[in-house]
Amino acid sequence: MPRVRMFGALRELAGGGSAEVPAPTLAELLDRLCELHGDEFKRSLGYAQVLVNGETIEGDGMSVELGDSDEVALLPPVSGG
């Protein structure tokens, strides 16, 4: 089962920093997390950076297939100055 690591506001909204979510694709995993944690989590996820096994996923990458040993990281937006 893929492991999910959440940081920042997503961690707080989920009530913890990690979870294991049964899902065959990244899109389904993110949908399940939103169902579990509600609308505010879904809004915050819209601003998050998504990584699978350390690689940034964008656009069409949401259809990537996940295996039991995969790790998904959800990172808050980063600002600098």
Side-chain angles (χ1 to χ4, degrees), residues 1-4 19-24 28-30 32-33 36 66:
M1 196 174 324
R3 181 183 169 107
V4 182
E20 290 189 2
V21 180
E28 290 181 52
L29 181 141
L30 297 176
R32 289 186 181 166
L33 286 172
L36 287 170
L66 298 173

Side-chain angles (χ1 to χ4, degrees), residues 15-73:
S18 65
E20 290 189 2
V21 180
T25 67
L26 180 58
E28 290 181 52
L29 181 141
L30 297 176
D31 286 346
R32 289 186 181 166
L33 286 172
C34 290
E35 289 173 9
L36 287 170
H37 302 299
D39 290 338
E40 192 171 344
F41 184 92
K42 185 176 183 175
R43 276 190 295 278
S44 294
L45 185 59
Y47 297 103
Q49 183 177 18
V50 178
L51 290 87
V52 175
N53 300 324
E55 294 188 33
T56 301
I57 304 296
E58 296 177 5
D60 294 341
M62 294 300 160
S63 63
V64 69
E65 293 185 11
L66 298 173
D68 287 344
S69 62
D70 288 328
E71 181 177 86
V72 176

